[in-house]
């Protein structure tokens, strides 16, 4: 799997950690956004439910976690 134009295996363990942190931060922002009043079903001006997460996001996050484990096991 590619990230930033390189295979995940070509990134350093440090870079993979930063990528994973970025992904976790994005999840936290999405969680915070889901609690916004425009998504509250009791609000007359609601816009509906927050769409489901992009499946590629979950795939990338799992791939980064797996690559981190591989590099840690080989260290």
């Amino acid at each position: 799997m590619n990230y930033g134009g390189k295979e995940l295996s070509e990134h350093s363990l440090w870079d993979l950690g930063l990528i994973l942190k970025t992904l976790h931060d994005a999840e936290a922002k999405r969680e915070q956004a889901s609690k916004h009043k425009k998504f509250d079903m009791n609000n007359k001006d609601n816009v509906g439910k927050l769409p489901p997460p992009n499946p590629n996001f979950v795939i990338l996050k799992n791939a980064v976690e797996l690559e981190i484990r591989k590099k840690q096991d080989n260290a």
Side-chain angles (χ1 to χ4, degrees):
M1 170 158 279
N2 285 321
Y3 183 86
K6 292 180 3 184
E7 282 292 324
L8 287 177
S9 60
E10 296 174 7
H11 287 279
S12 69
L13 187 58
W14 177 262
D15 288 340
L16 290 170
L18 292 176
I19 293 166
L20 188 60
K21 181 183 179 326
T22 300
L23 295 171
H24 283 286
D25 290 347
E27 281 183 322
K29 285 180 183 178
R30 180 179 173 77
E31 178 66 26
Q32 184 179 10
S34 72
K35 295 177 180 160
H36 191 276
K37 67 180 179 178
K38 71 182 176 183
F39 297 113
D40 182 359
M41 293 305 193
N42 296 324
N43 179 6
K44 66 178 179 65
D45 296 327
N46 80 57
V47 296
K49 290 184 176 182
L50 191 66
N54 184 334
N56 291 327
F57 178 87
V58 176
I59 292 168
L60 176 61
K61 183 179 147 211
N62 291 338
V64 169
E65 289 172 344
L66 179 64
E67 192 61 38
I68 288 172
R69 275 185 252 131
K70 282 183 194 175
K71 288 189 181 276
Q72 288 175 333
D73 289 345
N74 291 334

